[in-house]
Amino acid sequence: MNDFTLNAEVRSDLGKGASRRLRRLASLVPAVVYGGEKAPESISMLAKEVAKLLENEAAYSHVIELTVGGVKQNVIIKALQRHPAKGHVMHADFVRVVAGQKLTAIVPVHFVGEAAPIKKGGEISHVVAEIEVSCLPKDLPEFIEVDLANAEVGSIIHLSDITAPKGVEFVALAHGNDLAVANVHAPRVAPEEAAE
């Protein structure tokens, strides 16, 4: 079982300059914890701990045990701000998880069964890499599986074609948006033309 834990300290030094100093001098990542019944809390975490946690894709859609000054609380990642060139995390937003209260989270998509449509001469385009879901914390899936084994050439797989895990609702569908998730199309260039 993966260990989704992070340690943090309360941060009293706020503002852009303070955040820059934290990152540069102490190798810390500034963050804010929102939600629940408590006021937002400014914290800082070791950059290497954050990087290690995010090596596992499941961390993005998993309840994380965050210890702030000895007090444990369950959170999920709401947003990450990354350095445009280097890609490391510069700031994080977490949302407190309250048992029995629904949460929304972004969950990665895993495509399976891609060989079948390719054998039929199709090419697959992934339209989305993640889906926003709404569920209770205990029902939060690590990923959403999209099976393309029965997809025909020329077909588009929509959100409504995917079976959501028990207790999980797709936010876009709830708002009436049936998003395209993937499509199977004929190759752009016919094999004979390519040979010439």
Side-chain angles (χ1 to χ4, degrees):
M1 185 67 196
N2 289 310
D3 188 24
F4 296 99
T5 58
L6 267 179
N7 293 307
E9 293 301 323
V10 176
R11 168 170 70 98
S12 54
D13 197 8
L14 306 177
K16 230 182 208 169
S19 294
R20 210 173 282 129
R21 280 192 298 278
L22 277 176
R23 285 192 287 267
R24 197 175 58 236
L25 303 176
S27 295
L28 294 172
V29 175
V32 180
V33 183
Y34 300 98
E37 303 299 310
K38 300 179 192 159
E41 189 175 23
S42 295
I43 59 169
S44 60
M45 305 159 298
L46 281 172
K48 64 180 182 190
E49 265 193 37
V50 175
K52 188 173 184 335
L53 176 81
L54 297 178
E55 283 173 6
N56 185 345
E57 176 196 52
Y60 292 90
S61 58
H62 214 280
V63 176
I64 297 164
E65 188 180 275
L66 180 69
T67 306
V68 183
V71 180
K72 292 182 178 180
Q73 52 188 324
N74 289 337
V75 298
I76 59 167
I77 297 170
K78 185 68 177 170
L80 294 174
Q81 182 187 345
R82 291 183 181 274
H83 188 282
K86 297 175 183 163
H88 60 259
V89 176
M90 294 175 63
H91 189 277
D93 287 339
F94 296 100
V95 175
R96 291 183 187 98
V97 172
V98 181
Q101 195 174 48
K102 279 194 165 187
L103 55 87
T104 56
I106 305 287
V107 177
V109 176
H110 287 187
F111 294 95
V112 296
E114 294 185 340
I118 291 171
K119 281 181 188 159
K120 296 176 193 166
E123 286 184 357
I124 297 168
S125 294
H126 299 163
V127 182
V128 297
E130 50 195 26
I131 297 173
E132 190 175 15
V133 299
S134 172
C135 61
L136 291 171
K138 66 180 179 64
D139 295 328
L140 185 64
E142 282 191 15
F143 58 86
I144 300 292
E145 192 172 278
V146 178
D147 191 353
L148 300 173
N150 298 321
E152 295 296 325
V153 176
S155 65
I156 297 174
I157 292 82
H158 288 89
L159 214 46
S160 58
D161 300 325
I162 303 166
T163 307
K166 191 176 184 299
V168 176
E169 184 181 35
F170 296 135
V171 173
L173 275 183
H175 292 290
N177 300 332
D178 195 5
L179 305 173
V181 176
N183 61 47
V184 182
H185 50 84
R188 302 236 187 286
V189 179
E192 297 82 38
E193 290 173 30
E196 289 172 19

